[in-house]
Amino acid sequence: MASSKPLSRFWEWGRNIVCVGRNYAEHAKEMGSALPAEPLFFLKPSSAYVREGSPIERPYYCRELHHEVELGVLIGRRARAVPQDTAMEHVAGYALCLDMTARDTQKHCKDKGLPWTLAKGFGSSCPVSEFVPKEKIPDPHKLRIWLKVNGKLRQEGDTSNMIFSIPYLISYISHIFTLEEGDLILTGSPEGVGSVEANDEIEAGIRDVVTMKFKVQSKG
Ligand SMILES: CC(=O)CC(=O)C(=O)O
Ligand SMILES: [Mg+2]
């Protein structure tokens, strides 16, 4: 197990952000997407991280900025082609994360067969909560995650509804590229995604574990 010192250093700086898409059937349905036979995933740059106290900035080209609340899994020990049954040994802990998405841009990219980088990888597209050590969460597949905008509940989901479990995701990704200490996996959004506007306040939490708040700002 990694010591907590280098881990907090990586958490502060942020490393690779690996995002899983369509991992909840109801969210795939609301997006009009088919269920994946294997995990679908994409990357955000480490500069997408934003911590509480700093705003979420809407990119200048985006007219429809969406929230997606997701459980984040922080890797504590390098994982290269690991089997499912030992995959959880590579987890240091968890965080609540937002996969902020320029939905109009994503639609354009999907229509044109272009990558999703503009839609998903802009600066401040990955707000994160405090780090939660894994000892505080005995079963990450039994968590209620929720999100409110200006006090109104928009998303509430249960991690038991993930299509691909956390060990499956770690094993699958680690057979494609090595997961390093400090990498973060966003495990996909439950249903209820929707738009936010400048000056909106997003509050989100993992029930009984952690909450976080962010303000939305317009960049352009
Ligand atoms: C449709 C999406 O944007 C995929 C995604 O990010 C998800 O969480 O699902
Ligand atoms: Mg997402």
Side-chain angles (χ1 to χ4, degrees):
M1 187 60 207
S3 76
S4 61
K5 202 160 176 245
L7 188 67
S8 60
R9 179 163 55 88
F10 283 131
W11 185 236
E12 214 46 58
W13 292 352
R15 286 186 58 99
N16 300 310
I17 305 169
V18 185
C19 303
V20 176
R22 300 181 191 156
N23 202 23
Y24 287 80
E26 288 304 312
H27 173 53
K29 198 164 142 193
E30 75 181 347
M31 297 304 300
S33 306
L35 294 187
E38 288 296 344
L40 163 101
F41 65 94
F42 53 91
L43 300 171
K44 288 181 191 269
S46 57
S47 54
Y49 273 112
V50 56
R51 304 293 304 268
E52 269 187 296
S54 297
I56 298 169
E57 293 183 338
R58 181 214 290 257
Y60 69 88
Y61 49 80
C62 168
R63 296 279 158 265
E64 195 184 3
L65 180 63
H66 271 202
H67 55 78
E68 297 187 1
V69 69
E70 311 197 3
L71 177 68
V73 178
L74 188 73
I75 298 295
R77 181 154 63 85
R78 170 186 275 237
R80 181 161 184 261
V82 297
Q84 276 191 71
D85 57 1
T86 58
M88 294 306 281
E89 293 171 14
H90 297 262
V91 173
Y94 304 91
L96 190 66
C97 306
L98 303 183
D99 171 16
M100 295 306 296
T101 302
R103 195 68 75 196
D104 51 341
T105 312
Q106 186 189 34
K107 184 177 179 319
H108 175 81
C109 294
K110 281 183 183 171
D111 291 348
K112 300 271 180 217
L114 296 170
W116 293 2
T117 312
L118 278 176
K120 296 281 200 175
F122 53 89
S124 83
S125 62
C126 190
V128 292
S129 72
E130 287 305 311
F131 168 66
V132 181
K134 77 169 171 188
E135 296 70 30
K136 290 207 170 163
I137 298 192
D139 187 350
H141 301 97
K142 276 193 190 149
L143 297 173
R144 298 291 293 174
I145 56 176
W146 57 270
L147 179 143
K148 293 178 183 177
V149 178
N150 302 329
K152 282 202 172 153
L153 189 66
R154 293 267 191 98
Q155 288 192 267
E156 190 167 25
D158 201 303
T159 56
S160 62
N161 292 326
M162 282 183 200
I163 296 171
F164 300 108
S165 69
I166 295 166
Y168 188 93
L169 292 171
I170 292 172
S171 175
Y172 184 89
I173 296 165
S174 77
H175 280 84
I176 298 168
F177 56 82
T178 303
L179 287 163
E180 304 279 6
E181 181 183 6
D183 286 353
L184 181 70
I185 303 174
L186 269 61
T187 54
S189 177
E191 68 274 22
V193 301
S195 291
V196 285
E197 304 295 335
N199 300 318
D200 280 352
E201 185 184 70
I202 300 179
E203 188 183 359
I206 303 174
R207 197 194 282 169
D208 301 329
V209 179
V210 73
T211 60
M212 63 185 191
K213 274 187 190 168
F214 288 90
K215 267 266 194 223
V216 180
Q217 220 174 58
S218 207
K219 204 173 183 183

